[in-house]
Amino acid sequence: TRVPSAYIRTRRRLPVRNITYAYMAEKDVEGGTRSDGRLIQVAVGLALLSFFGVIVSIALTASQDFECTPIATDSSTNAEDANGGSTGGFLSLLEPYLPGIMAGKTRPKLILSTEPNWPPYAFINPQTGNNEGMATDLAKGMAKLCNFDVVITQTKWTECWVDQAAGQGLLNGDYHACMTYTHSKGARDRQMDFSHALLKNNQPAGLLVRLNDDGTPEIDGKHNLDGKKVVHVNGWTPDEDGLGFVLNECSGERFSGYEIFPSSTENPNDDALSKLLNGTADAMWVFVNQDKHYKNAGCDAGNPNKQSSSPDWDCAKWAGFGKKFAFIQTGMFSHAHNGTTFTVSKKGSGLNEIVNPCLDRFVETKEYYEMCVKHGLDYECFPNSYFPEEYFTRNAPVWELPTKDLQTKCEDGYCACPV
């Protein structure tokens, strides 16, 4: 049959998929009816519907082979089925995800980190060169008790917390958590998740000042710091905003009118003390027991429990305690919610769902008691049934006492309130 010229012209102008409509147009030109064109259109439509139906059916069938399983957080189980295989689907995780790290296959695997310059919590064993301390021992003990794997890595404290903000190491997921941080009020609490404490609220803050030649403090305990400059240890508790949460233990009033600024991030405790001694700062906002930890760990040559042969702090500076500088404020606990915690992680990480139940179990064990004794923290640990009775009735050390209750002198390193 001869193809009409109108159809040929229309076909040249239209894509192949529109031949049906072209044919319908041609029928109109010839004066015929549109019924044949409509039948072709319906047939093509039904064919397309059938095709897409097959595609959808295949997709639904395939989706039944996969399962998105929520993160398992029960650290007391192996997350295995009867045949030893993982019970999770292809997105199943037993711990929070970390980039570049192989996840635990049958039980959680936690990557935890410290900087080994805060004995007895974290330090380098001079004989082995390994990270040791209360933090490492606790992590390994908990892993054994609660059936998870743990890897201890080394970092800088500034990669965990610095300049009133979470550090890049923590934010980037270099590890799940940093260890042995105090649960401070303010900026830390807003930005990070803290586990339960491994020790009692044992980190009182205080104010160090320079001493005059006659042994008296340049600023006495009743001063409210108005017009004074205060340096705080960058990345360490107590934080910059912590001074606003405490009261002057001699006057009962809040401090006001002061300027507070951070030390450098390189050896921040030493740098803060240097700024105090050279007059850059009038006072130093710091842990009251910091000097004790440094002396016991490496700055006291006669200490049989010395934990580092080459401490990365200047022992000569800290030897001036009670001679060149002393505390005028002690026993300030209200800067923090809690004592030293086991882990600090990104806000919303979910790590506490693994850590907290295990820590609560571990502090009731004999191993916890022995660990506390080993590191000289037995009086700061939570006493359990393995602790002798004396630990329940001990007298608080001088640095935990509020300044108004002190009977010591500046030469002891702790100045009492002025009369």
Side-chain angles (χ1 to χ4, degrees):
T1 305
R2 183 179 63 86
V3 179
S5 60
Y7 170 68
I8 296 175
R9 288 195 301 272
T10 305
R11 187 177 182 186
R12 286 173 183 169
R13 291 196 304 269
L14 297 175
V16 174
R17 63 178 179 272
N18 288 330
I19 291 177
T20 300
Y21 303 100
Y23 179 72
M24 291 167 57
E26 191 274 333
K27 291 285 288 181
D28 286 340
V29 171
E30 293 290 316
T33 65
R34 299 172 61 103
S35 59
D36 292 341
R38 286 173 181 169
L39 288 174
I40 296 175
Q41 183 180 15
V42 170
V44 172
L46 290 174
L48 289 174
L49 286 175
S50 298
F51 173 76
F52 286 117
V54 171
I55 296 298
V56 171
S57 177
I58 293 173
L60 289 175
T61 302
S63 69
Q64 295 176 0
D65 295 333
F66 299 97
E67 178 184 358
C68 291
T69 306
I71 293 175
T73 57
D74 184 359
S75 59
S76 64
T77 65
N78 282 335
E80 293 184 354
D81 61 20
N83 297 318
S86 172
T87 59
F90 77 109
L91 288 181
S92 177
L93 293 175
L94 301 175
E95 71 281 329
Y97 167 76
L98 291 183
I101 300 294
M102 177 70 74
K105 294 183 178 180
T106 60
R107 59 185 184 178
K109 181 174 75 174
L110 304 185
I111 313 297
L112 307 177
S113 197
T114 64
E115 182 174 4
N117 67 352
W118 192 32
Y121 304 98
F123 58 89
I124 298 294
N125 184 313
Q127 279 75 46
T128 65
N130 295 329
N131 277 319
E132 293 190 7
M134 183 69 172
T136 297
D137 287 352
L138 187 73
K140 292 179 178 179
M142 288 174 56
K144 182 179 179 181
L145 176 68
C146 299
N147 194 30
F148 62 81
D149 294 317
V150 64
V151 178
I152 307 298
T153 67
Q154 181 173 328
T155 188
K156 290 281 190 181
W157 296 124
T158 50
E159 291 296 308
C160 304
W161 176 261
V162 65
D163 294 329
Q164 295 295 95
Q168 288 303 306
L170 205 57
L171 293 178
N172 293 339
D174 293 347
Y175 25 78
H176 287 109
C178 298
M179 296 187 287
T180 65
Y181 269 75
T182 300
H183 189 174
S184 302
K185 296 178 181 178
R188 284 195 192 195
D189 195 39
R190 295 193 300 270
Q191 300 179 57
M192 300 193 292
D193 282 342
F194 290 84
S195 74
H196 292 169
L198 63 96
L199 301 172
K200 291 181 289 187
N201 196 351
N202 66 322
Q203 300 294 359
L207 286 168
L208 276 175
V209 301
R210 294 183 298 274
L211 296 178
N212 295 312
D213 292 339
D214 62 358
T216 59
E218 291 188 12
I219 303 173
D220 67 40
K222 287 187 177 180
H223 202 290
N224 72 350
L225 300 180
D226 185 34
K228 300 299 182 181
K229 293 182 178 181
V230 181
V231 61
H232 76 92
V233 183
N234 199 346
W236 289 59
T237 305
D239 287 304
E240 173 183 321
D241 52 359
L243 191 52
F245 296 118
V246 299
L247 297 177
N248 184 312
E249 294 291 346
C250 295
S251 68
E253 300 177 355
R254 293 199 178 276
F255 298 99
S256 62
Y258 56 86
E259 175 190 344
I260 190 165
F261 65 95
S263 69
S264 75
T265 57
E266 188 67 28
N267 291 332
N269 280 280
D270 270 13
D271 182 71
L273 183 58
S274 294
K275 285 179 167 55
L276 172 65
L277 295 177
N278 67 23
T280 303
D282 301 299
M284 177 177 169
W285 176 232
V286 66
F287 279 145
V288 185
N289 58 0
Q290 190 72 302
D291 174 74
K292 181 205 74 155
H293 286 318
Y294 276 9
K295 288 179 65 177
N296 288 347
C299 289
D300 185 353
N303 175 26
N305 296 318
K306 184 167 65 172
Q307 295 157 330
S308 176
S309 58
S310 56
D312 60 354
W313 50 85
D314 189 338
C315 293
K317 288 179 184 176
W318 292 95
F321 184 65
K323 303 178 183 67
K324 295 182 178 180
F325 56 93
F327 284 100
I328 58 166
Q329 293 288 331
T330 57
M332 295 174 157
F333 288 97
S334 56
H335 69 95
H337 288 294
N338 209 344
T340 302
T341 62
F342 177 45
T343 60
V344 59
S345 57
K346 291 170 66 172
K347 203 74 173 176
S349 70
L351 186 67
N352 287 345
E353 296 180 33
I354 299 174
V355 169
N356 284 341
C358 186
L359 180 59
D360 292 345
R361 291 172 58 194
F362 190 79
V363 296
E364 298 298 329
T365 65
K366 183 179 181 181
E367 187 177 357
Y368 173 73
Y369 162 67
E370 294 172 341
M371 201 175 292
C372 293
V373 174
K374 172 185 174 182
H375 294 292
L377 294 168
D378 38 330
Y379 282 99
E380 300 178 39
C381 288
F382 296 107
N384 60 33
S385 60
Y386 297 96
F387 281 68
E389 185 64 29
E390 63 189 83
Y391 289 94
F392 294 85
T393 57
R394 67 116 180 183
N395 293 322
V398 62
W399 54 83
E400 291 187 8
L401 296 174
T403 316
K404 61 186 177 183
D405 295 338
L406 293 181
Q407 302 296 319
T408 52
K409 299 178 181 179
C410 291
E411 64 189 57
D412 300 315
Y414 308 96
C415 303
C417 291
V419 179

